[in-house]
Amino acid sequence: MSGILPMPGAWDSAWDDPTETAPSSDVPVPPSSEPRPSGSTRQRPSGVPSPSSTSSREVPRQPRAQNPFRKPAREVPPARASSGEEIKRPIVIAVFGQTGTGKTSFIKAVTGMDLEVGHNLASCTDAVLEVPCTINNENVVLVDTPGFSDTRFSDTEILRMIAEWMKDTYDEGFLLSGIIYLHRIIDVRMEGPNLKNLRMMKQLCGADSLQNVVLATTMWEKVTIKEGLRREAELEQTYWKDLIDGGATVARITTQSGNEAQSLVKSLLKNTPTSTRLQEELNSGLSLVQTAAGIEIREEMAKLEQKLKAEHQVEIEELRIAQDNQNARLERQIRNEMAESLRRLERLEDEKRLFAGLEHLSSKKLPKVNRSGLFGWGSYCCRFCGKKTRHVGRWTCGECNKQQRNVW
């Protein structure tokens, strides 16, 4: 078993939706919500096959993009002020994981800042949140990334946001000193969104950055030690094994102590900054749809399309049987389910069109704006209309709707 770091933090799924930052001295922990039910409970009539049995044809897998990028790592020249004086570069650490694993509240515990929760789509236009702070006299940027299978954004939109952020930082000469991947120890099994987020993290980061990866389990206070250890062992021996074999380490986040959460981040400060697989792929000239992460998204959409079409065919057969039996109540229920299936297929078609547009991920250089004030506490002004903001990174002005990048 790999070495375990007992590193606590604070979290709640409601905090996994950040927009701005403001000082706070207290971190409330509201009660967790019950999981939403999914799927229909209606019994299928005899003679109607389940969707999984309607076709045994596998979705053809596209050939994986081979990663030709090996060490030595990219040489990054030192940053210099206008006077020519060398400036110490911030240390960049990204936090990945499924929505609800506690990414935002982990960063909240480390920085002591109150990450305001957005309550509507308009307030969360930029889903990658960059939070500058100072730890051990080092300038550090913690990056809160959106999880895949999010309820607000499609996987294609999330991939585009992460790709734009990775490309921006790579072009500015910033590499990742740490990648923290959070997983809830309370999850009974690995399925659906858990597996998708793990696969996407692997494709985004690649094998060459694994020495900077920490796989951290959260919410230990909600399970018994015996059950937590059993699930942790299963993760290490099965789902995380290839990552651990490649150099990733494992940590536990067991309490709500901000000091201990900082210890995990401090353990990454001396790491050698490394580029991710996606950064190197984009820098080599590949389009986003040609990258390993892009291929993963395309395959997921193909599988979902096959599944939805199979389910729709089953519903058509169920509707025929209900009509033959003159069961008006069942017929209405099936028609409602068919309407929802068609809506899901329409949304999938919209995402496929959006994904096709990633072939031409904008290489447009956004105008850069430097902060006024101290690192982590300064503000920025829109270079077009003068509106002030504390938002770091890509920002769309709410007054003039122009984009710029507010640099660290």
Side-chain angles (χ1 to χ4, degrees):
M1 182 182 295
S2 58
I4 302 297
L5 304 175
M7 303 300 178
W11 55 85
D12 186 87
S13 58
W15 291 328
D16 246 343
D17 188 12
T19 51
E20 295 289 340
T21 61
S24 174
S25 60
D26 189 24
V27 181
V29 183
S32 59
S33 58
E34 291 296 321
R36 295 178 302 167
S38 60
S40 172
T41 59
R42 175 171 54 82
Q43 296 295 319
R44 298 192 183 280
S46 60
V48 178
S50 65
S52 60
S53 64
T54 57
S55 172
S56 59
R57 180 173 59 86
E58 292 292 330
V59 176
R61 293 182 66 85
Q62 298 293 330
R64 290 273 180 206
Q66 297 299 313
N67 183 10
F69 313 105
R70 307 298 299 178
K71 298 293 180 287
R74 179 189 185 197
E75 290 292 331
V76 180
R80 297 186 181 278
S82 56
S83 62
E85 180 183 357
E86 184 173 330
I87 302 173
K88 183 162 49 174
R89 287 180 173 273
I91 296 170
V92 186
I93 297 172
V95 185
F96 287 89
Q98 180 186 348
T99 299
T101 53
K103 299 185 299 292
T104 304
S105 33
F106 175 84
I107 294 176
K108 185 174 184 174
V110 172
T111 63
M113 296 180 181
D114 182 21
L115 304 186
E116 182 180 342
V117 176
H119 297 289
N120 54 63
L121 185 59
S123 66
C124 302
T125 303
D126 298 293
V128 176
L129 180 69
E130 301 164 64
V131 184
C133 60
T134 301
I135 301 175
N136 279 7
N137 294 320
E138 297 278 3
N139 291 337
V140 179
V141 178
L142 297 175
V143 184
D144 189 348
T145 64
F148 291 90
S149 296
D150 187 83
T151 57
R152 297 174 297 118
F153 301 107
S154 70
D155 288 343
T156 297
E157 291 173 297
I158 290 170
L159 177 60
R160 176 187 57 79
M161 294 172 188
I162 293 176
E164 288 177 342
W165 171 75
M166 284 192 173
K167 190 174 188 307
D168 286 344
T169 53
Y170 186 91
D171 290 345
E172 292 166 11
F174 293 98
L175 306 181
L176 289 176
S177 293
I179 299 167
I180 301 173
Y181 180 81
L182 298 184
H183 174 86
R184 293 176 300 218
I185 199 65
I186 62 173
D187 290 344
V188 176
R189 57 183 62 89
M190 285 284 287
E191 59 184 4
N194 273 331
L195 290 173
K196 178 186 288 186
N197 278 275
L198 184 61
R199 287 196 303 268
M200 290 306 300
M201 191 272 289
K202 292 179 182 179
Q203 302 299 354
L204 289 167
C205 300
D208 291 344
S209 60
L210 287 180
Q211 69 273 14
N212 288 353
V213 171
V214 177
L215 307 167
T217 46
T218 63
M219 304 187 186
W220 280 79
E221 79 283 6
K222 297 182 180 181
V223 297
T224 64
I225 291 296
K226 180 180 179 180
E227 183 62 21
L229 291 175
R230 185 190 67 77
R231 293 176 187 173
E232 181 185 63
E234 182 183 16
L235 290 170
E236 292 186 10
Q237 295 166 13
T238 306
Y239 302 103
W240 292 354
K241 186 178 187 305
D242 56 336
L243 299 172
I244 295 171
D245 290 345
T249 56
V250 177
R252 298 175 193 160
I253 301 176
T254 58
T255 73
Q256 300 176 13
S257 167
N259 291 333
E260 293 179 347
Q262 281 193 4
S263 298
L264 176 53
V265 174
K266 289 176 182 178
S267 70
L268 302 173
L269 298 183
K270 300 301 182 183
N271 285 354
T272 300
T274 308
S275 57
T276 65
R277 180 178 188 177
L278 181 63
Q279 287 174 321
E280 295 289 0
E281 287 174 329
L282 293 174
N283 187 60
S284 75
L286 292 180
S287 69
L288 185 52
V289 299
Q290 294 172 320
T291 64
I295 291 172
E296 186 74 36
I297 292 292
R298 183 169 64 234
E299 291 177 353
E300 287 285 337
M301 286 193 296
K303 291 175 184 176
L304 179 58
E305 182 176 28
Q306 180 174 313
K307 176 177 178 290
L308 291 177
K309 287 182 176 179
E311 289 177 348
H312 188 59
Q313 288 301 314
V314 171
E315 289 167 345
I316 291 174
E317 179 61 18
E318 290 178 335
L319 179 63
R320 183 190 65 78
I321 294 174
Q323 290 171 334
D324 290 345
N325 294 333
Q326 298 184 348
N327 189 332
R329 181 177 179 181
L330 180 59
E331 182 180 343
R332 285 194 300 272
Q333 184 179 354
I334 295 173
R335 288 190 183 279
N336 288 337
E337 293 177 5
M338 291 176 68
E340 177 59 27
S341 295
L342 290 175
R343 282 192 290 269
R344 294 179 66 190
L345 282 167
E346 288 172 1
R347 289 195 295 268
L348 181 59
E349 287 299 319
D350 290 340
E351 183 169 2
K352 287 167 64 178
R353 285 190 288 270
L354 180 63
F355 181 80
L358 296 183
E359 182 73 39
H360 309 288
L361 181 66
S362 175
S363 58
K364 173 186 173 184
K365 301 286 187 183
L366 293 180
K368 298 178 183 177
V369 175
N370 294 317
R371 71 179 182 278
S372 59
L374 298 175
F375 182 87
W377 296 98
S379 60
Y380 303 85
C381 289
C382 175
R383 62 178 297 164
F384 301 100
C385 70
K387 178 181 173 65
K388 283 192 173 184
T389 182
R390 292 188 61 205
H391 189 104
V392 184
R394 285 193 173 223
W395 176 66
T396 302
C397 177
E399 294 291 332
C400 65
N401 205 36
K402 296 294 182 78
Q403 268 198 326
Q404 65 187 41
R405 176 161 175 82
N406 299 331
V407 298
W408 304 325

